Amino acid sequence: MEEQQQEKTHVVDSNFPLFSKTPKRPKLQKTQNPDESPEIPKLEKEASSNPSNPDSAAAKTTLFSDLGLSEWALQTCKELGMKNPTQVQSHCIPKILSGRDVLGLAQTGSGKTAAFALPILHRLAEDPFGVFALVITPTRELAYQLAEQFRAFGSCLHLRCAVVVGGMDLLTQAKTLMGRPHVVIATPGRIKVLLENPDISPVFSRTKFLVLDEADRLIDVGFQEELRVVFKCLPKSRQTLLFSATMTSELQTLLELSENKAYFYEEYEGFKTVDTLNQQYIQMPKNVKEVYLVYILSKMEEMGIRSAIIFVSACSTCRLLSSLLKELDHEPATLYSLESQSARLASLHRFKSGQASILIATDLASRGLDIPTVDLVINYDLPRDPTDYVHRVGRTARAGREGLAVSLVAQHDGKLMKAIEAEVGKQFEKFECKENEVLSDITKQGSYRDAMQLDFTISTPLLQYIHMPMLV
Ligand code: AMP
């Protein structure tokens, strides 16, 4: 536990050219003196406004047509059902159009993708060439999701958008890049390998935009080497856009290194999770966590929950819970790093399309995934880093919708739970559950008896419990 509480000591390399040295001056609007101190946006404090909700009072003060976007972009937003811009869109789109580098911090689900995709596509339409923009994101699934969104926003532009991620054929990706797509969406490791090919790096010599999505994760020490290669291949005159749901000391340092030239937007209204998210916890002995998990899942229909993500800390727990839930006819989808990329994509597709209502995942799924039917997030294992909690629960209650997060707290999790509550700035309520009901429900289920016949390689406390209910 002590190790979990340890502070991160990553330091940003001060030579990182994250922000372009000479930001392009505004074309669309007359703007401020570059020597002015950075604009720290005022936190708008309208009562009961929800910054991630486009229909909130605060968001209504701005219209998409006020942001400087072209007519085709306005029409596309309308067709996609985006009536009003969210806060992060209202603040960042005009700045990006004016040529500024941007660091945008906003709650997960607040419309950050459109905040950078729309202005990039607006500029692309004025002067189309490839590769116009490179977007880097930490996970392969997020890369595919971003590409879907770019394609939707750029549907009337005949946009050519390529995804280059690990686990897929390198040669095919190299050929795709040689075809100079307009937008490339990549994970750091794979783009580094491709950029090291001398035939491919010139393809990026005129790139206008570099986006680091989930920037806090990317500026992690683990990706510095990859980013260094990226920076070397992109022109200095590009715009750099960083978006993140959480601030880290590395991002803070970068902001300072930008010498006040980058526009910094921070949206939080005191809390890092949205008002529409109901956060609860449930306490139990460690050896009966599965019992409580199954109980919560049995209440999904009654609670009107369409789909749920269960977060666990290890791939082996993903496999174990998956086998167990399959025995109970749940047919869950799974997402963890030890699966092949095609299995990961197929699993995510099954969950997104509603064929599976439960996804069991490691933190691979904790960031950015935008699946509107997710009404419930269960932290089967608490995340070690409270920041990961914020990302995990952000898979529900997105774009103004409601959602529920339930954390399973075992006997040694108390300290971690307190750290999470401190990070979020809220005290969580207890998930209502009658212990008798939990226990009786289990003994009623015939399928558990079948599960007892399973040959699990890891001992399952649930099975022990069924043998010895009186001990619980
Ligand atoms: P993101 O934070 O970019 O993952 O977006 C979260 C969800 O909000 C996505 O499903 C978007 O399609 C949706 N969204 C983004 N901007 C708007 C908007 N202005 N109005 C309504 N929905 C939006």
Side-chain angles (χ1 to χ4, degrees):
M1 198 65 65
E2 269 169 28
E3 155 194 316
Q4 292 163 6
Q5 308 291 328
Q6 263 177 10
E7 291 244 40
K8 280 192 197 164
T9 51
H10 306 155
V11 177
V12 173
D13 182 337
S14 60
N15 294 320
F16 256 33
L18 255 180
F19 291 95
S20 51
K21 292 269 186 301
T22 48
K24 236 180 137 193
R25 284 298 90 213
K27 245 190 199 171
L28 290 184
Q29 64 180 59
K30 292 180 224 128
T31 51
Q32 48 283 93
N33 178 350
D35 297 328
E36 276 174 12
S37 56
E39 292 163 67
I40 307 296
K42 292 122 214 121
L43 295 178
E44 306 186 14
K45 298 239 186 238
E46 288 108 311
S48 76
S49 77
N50 173 358
S52 39
N53 181 356
D55 290 330
S56 73
K60 273 195 178 129
T61 54
T62 312
L63 304 171
F64 271 116
S65 53
D66 297 332
L67 305 182
L69 291 166
S70 325
E71 194 50 46
W72 68 261
L74 302 182
Q75 190 57 33
T76 305
C77 290
K78 210 167 149 190
E79 281 163 16
L80 292 173
M82 295 162 58
K83 290 190 195 129
N84 297 305
T86 61
Q87 292 284 308
V88 66
Q89 292 161 1
S90 305
H91 287 83
C92 295
I93 290 175
K95 301 292 176 191
I96 298 172
L97 287 175
S98 75
R100 299 281 295 274
D101 289 338
V102 168
L103 167 55
L105 284 188
Q107 282 149 338
T108 182
S110 57
K112 289 195 285 287
T113 313
F116 59 80
L118 287 171
I120 288 176
L121 294 174
H122 169 108
R123 285 276 173 251
L124 173 74
E126 290 174 339
D127 178 20
F129 69 86
V131 172
F132 194 81
L134 171 61
V135 182
I136 303 188
T137 193
T139 71
R140 300 167 187 179
E141 285 72 20
L142 274 182
Y144 284 102
Q145 179 179 293
L146 284 174
E148 266 173 35
Q149 284 170 287
F150 262 94
R151 286 183 189 121
F153 292 133
S155 54
C156 66
L157 299 180
H158 304 292
L159 181 74
R160 283 184 296 115
C161 179
V163 176
V164 295
V165 296
M168 305 306 263
D169 186 58
L170 189 65
L171 200 64
T172 312
Q173 291 176 350
K175 278 189 196 151
T176 307
L177 291 187
M178 293 306 285
R180 295 178 184 261
H182 299 120
V183 177
V184 173
I185 310 199
T187 46
R190 181 51 60 98
I191 194 67
K192 170 182 177 272
V193 173
L194 286 158
L195 286 173
E196 281 167 346
N197 177 336
D199 292 332
I200 292 178
S201 48
V203 167
F204 290 85
S205 62
R206 290 174 62 211
T207 297
K208 295 277 185 203
F209 287 95
L210 170 66
V211 181
L212 301 188
D213 183 38
E214 304 292 337
D216 59 331
R217 176 80 186 86
L218 290 171
I219 309 295
D220 196 281
V221 94
F223 289 125
Q224 288 207 2
E225 166 112 24
E226 287 81 354
L227 293 182
R228 229 177 265 285
V229 174
V230 170
F231 297 141
K232 223 173 80 192
C233 295
L234 296 192
K236 294 267 178 292
S237 57
R238 64 165 194 273
Q239 272 177 259
T240 306
L241 313 177
L242 273 62
F243 282 88
S244 173
T246 42
M247 187 60 158
T248 59
S249 54
E250 285 92 345
L251 285 178
Q252 186 63 48
T253 310
L254 280 173
L255 191 66
E256 285 155 18
L257 287 177
S258 85
E259 296 163 4
N260 299 342
K261 286 178 189 138
Y263 168 72
F264 175 45
Y265 171 71
E266 188 178 22
E267 181 171 280
Y268 301 121
E269 288 187 325
F271 296 123
K272 291 176 181 171
T273 50
V274 292
D275 291 345
T276 51
L277 175 68
N278 185 2
Q279 301 179 77
Q280 302 187 351
Y281 71 95
I282 183 166
Q283 270 177 311
M284 80 282 302
K286 192 174 176 202
N287 64 339
V288 287
K289 276 165 86 175
E290 293 92 338
V291 179
Y292 281 79
L293 173 70
V294 173
Y295 173 76
I296 299 168
L297 295 178
S298 74
K299 297 280 166 198
M300 275 175 66
E301 205 175 314
E302 195 180 301
M303 293 194 288
I305 286 164
R306 293 166 294 172
S307 64
I309 303 183
I310 303 166
F311 281 103
V312 298
S313 57
C315 298
S316 56
T317 318
C318 257
R319 284 184 176 143
L320 176 66
L321 288 185
S322 171
S323 306
L324 189 62
L325 294 185
K326 274 181 191 157
E327 284 303 315
L328 302 174
D329 297 329
H330 278 301
E331 293 306 322
T334 51
L335 193 60
Y336 56 97
S337 61
L338 294 180
E339 286 179 308
S340 71
Q341 188 52 35
S342 51
R344 275 161 62 166
L345 287 174
S347 206
L348 194 57
H349 175 73
R350 225 158 57 76
F351 183 61
K352 275 181 150 177
S353 63
Q355 293 168 56
S357 60
I358 296 168
L359 176 71
I360 310 170
T362 59
D363 275 305
L364 189 64
S366 66
R367 283 164 179 267
L369 285 182
D370 180 44
I371 304 167
T373 56
V374 177
D375 296 320
L376 170 66
V377 166
I378 300 175
N379 287 305
Y380 179 81
D381 295 318
L382 288 185
R384 288 181 188 182
D385 184 342
T387 305
D388 287 336
Y389 173 89
V390 175
H391 288 283
R392 284 182 179 189
V393 300
R395 296 317 100 224
T396 185
R398 297 176 69 77
R401 289 183 292 270
E402 301 209 327
L404 172 66
V406 182
S407 296
L408 272 56
V409 181
Q411 54 268 48
H412 300 301
D413 293 334
K415 241 181 168 178
L416 201 47
M417 195 63 208
K418 284 218 158 40
I420 290 169
E421 285 183 334
E423 170 78 16
V424 171
K426 280 181 185 168
Q427 280 209 326
F428 303 158
E429 285 168 19
K430 265 192 170 168
F431 178 84
E432 255 190 61
C433 108
K434 296 189 184 91
E435 306 253 314
N436 288 348
E437 213 179 301
V438 178
L439 305 186
S440 68
D441 259 17
I442 287 155
T443 43
K444 262 187 252 157
Q445 300 214 30
S447 43
Y448 273 81
R449 283 189 285 276
D450 298 338
M452 287 162 64
Q453 310 301 324
L454 279 179
D455 178 23
F456 280 110
T457 45
I458 307 169
S459 82
T460 62
L462 173 61
L463 302 183
Q464 288 167 15
Y465 159 68
I466 291 167
H467 286 300
M468 304 174 285
M470 68 293 298
L471 295 182
V472 179

